[in-house]
Amino acid sequence: DPQTEFPPLRGARQEVEEIQKYFFGSAVFFGSDATETKLRGPGVSTDVVHLACHGMMNEDMPAYSFLALAPGAGNDGRLEMHEIAALDWTPPELVVLSACKTGTGKLGGGSEVMALARGFMVAGAPSVVCSLWPVDDEATRIFMSAFYAALQGGALKAEALRKAQEAVRANPEYDHPAFWSPYVLWGGWK
């Protein structure tokens, strides 16, 4: 839940605090500390990157779609798709975009979908979990907690995605597909 110009995401902090237990010694950044600079810095190296923030799609110019992070150290806080594709990092095995519409976009010249998730794949991430429409804050918290629990239990990424969908669907308040099915896995399923 970076400190941005957009409304706060009340469930994002709780979401990240819940999943942090699965990653001993992980670095977590909240509020004004959740900057674009932290992700863009040279030499960033980790197995999993989880971003719980706003995702903004630019329908007219998809390369300028962005993840809303906190500004600082010369960065405006809008991590745009073209900037993501040029990240100076050791690509993580998995990027999870806990944000709205990160897997939607326009078809590019080679028939690929120009979306935020694609930026991470161009930057070398073999697997990206992203969303196809605006997501509910609380349903997303339930989804992400179940997703990481399944991964840590030995499930493959695709199986963990299915188990997370089932966890959200089991809650009568979120049993409509709009709540449990927005997240998809791009790339490697293992």
Side-chain angles (χ1 to χ4, degrees):
D1 185 22
Q3 187 175 347
T4 68
E5 66 200 84
F6 302 101
L9 297 167
R10 292 181 292 277
R13 181 177 292 264
Q14 184 180 359
E15 171 187 320
V16 171
E17 288 171 345
E18 284 180 19
I19 64 177
Q20 184 181 13
K21 67 185 174 191
Y22 298 113
F23 300 97
F24 180 75
S26 59
V28 177
F29 306 104
F30 294 111
S32 61
D33 201 31
T35 65
E36 177 181 358
T37 306
K38 293 269 187 345
L39 189 61
R40 292 184 67 182
V44 171
S45 178
T46 184
D47 293 334
V48 176
V49 170
H50 180 94
L51 296 164
C53 58
H54 286 286
M56 301 299 197
M57 179 63 199
N58 185 326
E59 300 286 339
D60 296 325
M61 298 177 69
Y64 292 97
S65 299
F66 65 92
L67 295 170
L69 302 173
N75 288 308
D76 62 6
R78 292 177 177 228
L79 183 60
E80 296 172 341
M81 187 181 117
H82 65 94
E83 295 172 319
I84 293 167
L87 285 171
D88 180 17
W89 66 350
T90 301
E93 177 61 32
L94 174 66
V95 173
V96 177
L97 302 176
S98 181
C100 296
K101 297 176 73 172
T102 53
T104 60
K106 283 187 167 184
L107 286 180
S111 296
E112 70 280 356
V113 176
M114 300 300 292
L116 288 164
R118 174 133 176 92
F120 284 100
M121 296 194 85
V122 169
S127 301
V128 179
V129 172
C130 55
S131 63
L132 299 177
W133 54 79
V135 294
D136 179 82
D137 203 24
E138 178 61 16
T140 294
R141 184 194 62 76
I142 295 166
F143 177 92
M144 293 301 171
S145 185
F147 177 74
Y148 286 107
L151 278 180
Q152 292 302 313
L156 299 175
K157 294 170 198 163
E159 182 183 4
L161 184 81
R162 181 186 55 79
K163 288 182 177 190
Q165 290 172 332
E166 289 172 352
V168 175
R169 191 173 172 190
N171 183 322
E173 191 174 342
Y174 302 113
D175 63 354
H176 189 279
F179 294 107
W180 58 263
S181 66
Y183 285 100
V184 296
L185 174 64
W186 283 22
W189 55 274
K190 290 184 181 182

